[in-house]
Amino acid sequence: MKGFLKLKLSFFAIVLLIFTVACSSETGSDNAEAKSDEGTYTINVAYGNQPDEPIGKLATKWKELAEEKSDGRLKLNLYPSSQLGAEKDVVEQAVSGNNVIVMAGYDFLMDYVPDAGILTAPYLVEDFDQLLYLTETDWFEGVRDDLRKQNIEIVNSKTVYGERHLLTNEKVTSPEDLKGMKIRVPDNQMSIKTFDAMGAAATPYPLGELYTALQQGLVNGAENPLPVLQGVKAHEVSKNLSLTGHQKFITSWIAGTEFINKLPDDLVEILRETGKEASKYGREVLEEETAAVLEEFESSGVKLHEVDQKAFKEKVQSVYEEFSEWTPGLYDEIQELLKDS
């Protein structure tokens, strides 16, 4: 009798184990597709900026618009301040198929498709509208297709990040003033080569660690759009702002192509449409806050320096020759395209 009871208990234990494994397998599948039992799709949205910066406000607007227009079928969880990891790490998460959308500069995407990087090259264009025009050309569609082959899907290509300037401990008005200075730059070859060409020692650091690096003298300055420099409080340490305008910077928001293909078509369209709408809103916020930040910098003792941009532009021309991976004649091709902008 006892033997029979043990056998019976063992049988039920095995059944329970099989049921548990089956349920776990189902849950894992749902997680991979970011779909819950209620029919909602959860997407983690990652970026390095602070929540109160223009990019953070753009992301909040995107979340509101996407969730509203999808009647709650989309749920966007926001992860600012590099909470999910550095930009390169989160891009790799996206490529691996995770349910994540990450803001990725075209300079980072050149690790996958080299030609994408020219969109962040120094002194490439006169204004942001020219850059945005380039994202509507057949050339850019070719870049999109090449990225898809690397399992990268551009969900939103039109976010204006801002015009990048230089904030340093010592006054800089010419490239010669940068000699020996360690300037914090993003960890990508475009930024590194640009500041090396200017005569500085380009020093990659995560944006979230910039304030401490300035305090400890690990770097002597940094570059970024003004609201970004204000967001990390770099102006509390470095008190010289040089209006170099070395990059008109737009950025993309990317996901894994396989992940996007698992979403219903109507939700993908909502993501794209609301992303564009949020980017327009973000550009308006950026323009307003750039003017306000400039006033704040001046009132907090930051000295503003106009520079001879022509001298900086001449220094960085070598950058265009350093990327042997680019399609031959790419710079000239871009300049031809800009004639129609």
Side-chain angles (χ1 to χ4, degrees), residues 23 25-31 33-42 72-73:
C23 288
S25 178
E26 272 188 6
T27 304
S29 176
D30 283 345
N31 284 340
E33 297 179 8
K35 183 179 180 183
S36 72
D37 293 337
E38 293 78 26
T40 60
Y41 291 80
T42 300
R73 292 168 61 210

Short mmCIF file of all heavy atoms in Angstrom, two decimals, residues 23 25-31 33-42 72-73:
data_model
loop_
_atom_site.label_atom_id
_atom_site.label_comp_id
_atom_site.label_asym_id
_atom_site.label_seq_id
_atom_site.Cartn_x
_atom_site.Cartn_y
_atom_site.Cartn_z
N CYS A 23 4.65 25.81 -18.69
CA CYS A 23 4.25 27.19 -18.41
C CYS A 23 5.44 28.14 -18.52
O CYS A 23 5.33 29.23 -19.06
CB CYS A 23 3.65 27.29 -17.00
SG CYS A 23 2.01 26.54 -16.86
N SER A 25 8.06 27.73 -20.36
CA SER A 25 8.40 27.87 -21.78
C SER A 25 7.49 28.87 -22.45
O SER A 25 7.91 29.70 -23.24
CB SER A 25 8.30 26.51 -22.46
OG SER A 25 8.57 26.61 -23.83
N GLU A 26 6.18 28.80 -22.12
CA GLU A 26 5.24 29.75 -22.69
C GLU A 26 5.58 31.17 -22.27
O GLU A 26 5.57 32.09 -23.08
CB GLU A 26 3.81 29.42 -22.23
CG GLU A 26 3.10 28.42 -23.10
CD GLU A 26 1.65 28.29 -22.70
OE1 GLU A 26 1.19 29.04 -21.85
OE2 GLU A 26 0.99 27.42 -23.25
N THR A 27 5.89 31.36 -20.97
CA THR A 27 6.22 32.69 -20.48
C THR A 27 7.45 33.23 -21.15
O THR A 27 7.51 34.39 -21.55
CB THR A 27 6.45 32.64 -18.94
OG1 THR A 27 5.29 32.09 -18.33
CG2 THR A 27 6.71 34.03 -18.40
N GLY A 28 8.46 32.38 -21.33
CA GLY A 28 9.68 32.81 -22.00
C GLY A 28 9.40 33.28 -23.40
O GLY A 28 9.94 34.27 -23.86
N SER A 29 8.54 32.58 -24.10
CA SER A 29 8.18 32.97 -25.46
C SER A 29 7.49 34.31 -25.47
O SER A 29 7.77 35.17 -26.29
CB SER A 29 7.27 31.90 -26.08
OG SER A 29 6.84 32.31 -27.36
N ASP A 30 6.55 34.51 -24.51
CA ASP A 30 5.86 35.78 -24.44
C ASP A 30 6.83 36.91 -24.14
O ASP A 30 6.73 38.00 -24.71
CB ASP A 30 4.76 35.75 -23.35
CG ASP A 30 3.53 34.97 -23.82
OD1 ASP A 30 3.43 34.74 -25.02
OD2 ASP A 30 2.70 34.60 -22.96
N ASN A 31 7.78 36.67 -23.23
CA ASN A 31 8.74 37.71 -22.90
C ASN A 31 9.58 38.08 -24.11
O ASN A 31 9.89 39.25 -24.33
CB ASN A 31 9.66 37.24 -21.76
CG ASN A 31 8.95 37.28 -20.41
OD1 ASN A 31 7.97 37.97 -20.26
ND2 ASN A 31 9.47 36.54 -19.45
N GLU A 33 8.68 38.11 -27.07
CA GLU A 33 7.88 38.93 -27.97
C GLU A 33 7.35 40.17 -27.28
O GLU A 33 6.61 40.95 -27.87
CB GLU A 33 6.71 38.10 -28.51
CG GLU A 33 7.16 36.91 -29.35
CD GLU A 33 5.99 36.09 -29.86
OE1 GLU A 33 4.85 36.53 -29.69
OE2 GLU A 33 6.22 35.04 -30.44
N ALA A 34 7.69 40.34 -25.99
CA ALA A 34 7.25 41.50 -25.21
C ALA A 34 5.74 41.60 -25.13
O ALA A 34 5.19 42.68 -25.03
CB ALA A 34 7.84 42.79 -25.79
N LYS A 35 5.03 40.47 -25.19
CA LYS A 35 3.57 40.48 -25.19
C LYS A 35 3.06 39.88 -23.89
O LYS A 35 3.51 38.83 -23.45
CB LYS A 35 3.04 39.68 -26.38
CG LYS A 35 1.51 39.70 -26.49
CD LYS A 35 1.07 38.89 -27.69
CE LYS A 35 -0.46 38.88 -27.82
NZ LYS A 35 -0.88 38.03 -28.95
N SER A 36 2.08 40.58 -23.29
CA SER A 36 1.50 40.08 -22.04
C SER A 36 0.20 39.36 -22.33
O SER A 36 -0.30 39.36 -23.46
CB SER A 36 1.24 41.26 -21.09
OG SER A 36 0.14 42.03 -21.55
N ASP A 37 -0.37 38.76 -21.28
CA ASP A 37 -1.64 38.04 -21.45
C ASP A 37 -2.76 38.98 -21.84
O ASP A 37 -3.78 38.55 -22.39
CB ASP A 37 -2.00 37.32 -20.13
CG ASP A 37 -1.02 36.19 -19.83
OD1 ASP A 37 -0.39 35.70 -20.78
OD2 ASP A 37 -0.90 35.82 -18.64
N GLU A 38 -2.61 40.28 -21.53
CA GLU A 38 -3.68 41.24 -21.86
C GLU A 38 -3.56 41.75 -23.30
O GLU A 38 -4.32 42.63 -23.70
CB GLU A 38 -3.61 42.44 -20.90
CG GLU A 38 -3.97 42.11 -19.45
CD GLU A 38 -2.82 41.42 -18.73
OE1 GLU A 38 -1.64 41.63 -19.12
OE2 GLU A 38 -3.08 40.65 -17.79
N GLY A 39 -2.61 41.24 -24.06
CA GLY A 39 -2.47 41.66 -25.46
C GLY A 39 -1.69 42.95 -25.62
O GLY A 39 -1.73 43.56 -26.69
N THR A 40 -0.97 43.38 -24.59
CA THR A 40 -0.13 44.58 -24.70
C THR A 40 1.30 44.17 -25.03
O THR A 40 1.75 43.08 -24.67
CB THR A 40 -0.14 45.39 -23.40
OG1 THR A 40 0.36 44.58 -22.33
CG2 THR A 40 -1.55 45.87 -23.06
N TYR A 41 2.00 45.06 -25.68
CA TYR A 41 3.40 44.84 -26.05
C TYR A 41 4.25 45.85 -25.29
O TYR A 41 4.08 47.07 -25.46
CB TYR A 41 3.60 44.99 -27.56
CG TYR A 41 2.94 43.89 -28.36
CD1 TYR A 41 1.57 43.91 -28.63
CD2 TYR A 41 3.69 42.82 -28.83
CE1 TYR A 41 0.97 42.89 -29.35
CE2 TYR A 41 3.09 41.80 -29.57
CZ TYR A 41 1.73 41.84 -29.82
OH TYR A 41 1.14 40.83 -30.54
N THR A 42 5.15 45.36 -24.47
CA THR A 42 6.00 46.22 -23.65
C THR A 42 7.35 46.41 -24.33
O THR A 42 7.99 45.44 -24.75
CB THR A 42 6.21 45.61 -22.25
OG1 THR A 42 4.94 45.46 -21.61
CG2 THR A 42 7.11 46.49 -21.40
N GLY A 72 -3.54 51.58 -25.60
CA GLY A 72 -2.92 50.82 -24.52
C GLY A 72 -2.28 49.52 -24.95
O GLY A 72 -1.72 48.80 -24.10
N ARG A 73 -2.30 49.18 -26.23
CA ARG A 73 -1.67 47.94 -26.68
C ARG A 73 -0.14 48.04 -26.66
O ARG A 73 0.55 47.03 -26.60
CB ARG A 73 -2.15 47.58 -28.09
CG ARG A 73 -3.64 47.20 -28.13
CD ARG A 73 -4.14 47.14 -29.57
NE ARG A 73 -3.42 46.14 -30.35
CZ ARG A 73 -3.20 46.24 -31.67
NH1 ARG A 73 -3.62 47.31 -32.33
NH2 ARG A 73 -2.56 45.28 -32.31
#
